[in-house]
Amino acid sequence: MATCDHLEASPLTQVPDGFEPICLDCIENGGQWVHLRRCLTCNHVACCDSSPARHATAHFHATDHPVITSAEPGERWRWCYLDEVGA
């Protein structure tokens, strides 16, 4: 399986206290999401690329935080935007 330094530096972490499974960006703009992603740098939750607004990718472009994970129950994976590789 391919890997990268960003994935090595960003292990899966526990969901933080107070975690809300919502995309605040969608709520603020009246949008809706398909699935949610969580930034492993700052725990920001945003909608996936299958969602109309693609807020998780927008968060990456705005912050350069490279690794996300699924915020969906039971899913345990990571994705690095910079190297376009998952684990």
Side-chain angles (χ1 to χ4, degrees):
M1 174 182 291
T3 190
C4 71
D5 291 340
H6 308 105
L7 288 173
E8 294 295 325
S10 300
L12 280 174
T13 58
Q14 292 292 324
V15 173
D17 290 338
F19 175 77
E20 292 190 61
I22 59 174
C23 178
L24 289 175
D25 300 315
C26 282
I27 289 175
E28 289 175 4
N29 297 309
Q32 51 187 322
W33 58 87
V34 176
H35 298 286
L36 297 172
R37 308 295 179 235
R38 179 171 57 99
C39 173
L40 286 175
T41 301
C42 70
N43 287 316
H44 179 79
V45 177
C47 60
C48 69
D49 283 356
S50 296
S51 302
R54 302 176 61 194
H55 287 123
T57 297
H59 175 75
F60 160 68
H61 289 296
T63 64
D64 290 327
H65 294 166
V67 182
I68 59 167
T69 186
S70 175
E72 299 296 320
E75 292 186 9
R76 296 186 48 82
W77 54 263
R78 293 168 295 147
W79 176 258
C80 176
Y81 284 106
L82 291 173
D83 295 317
E84 296 184 347
V85 65

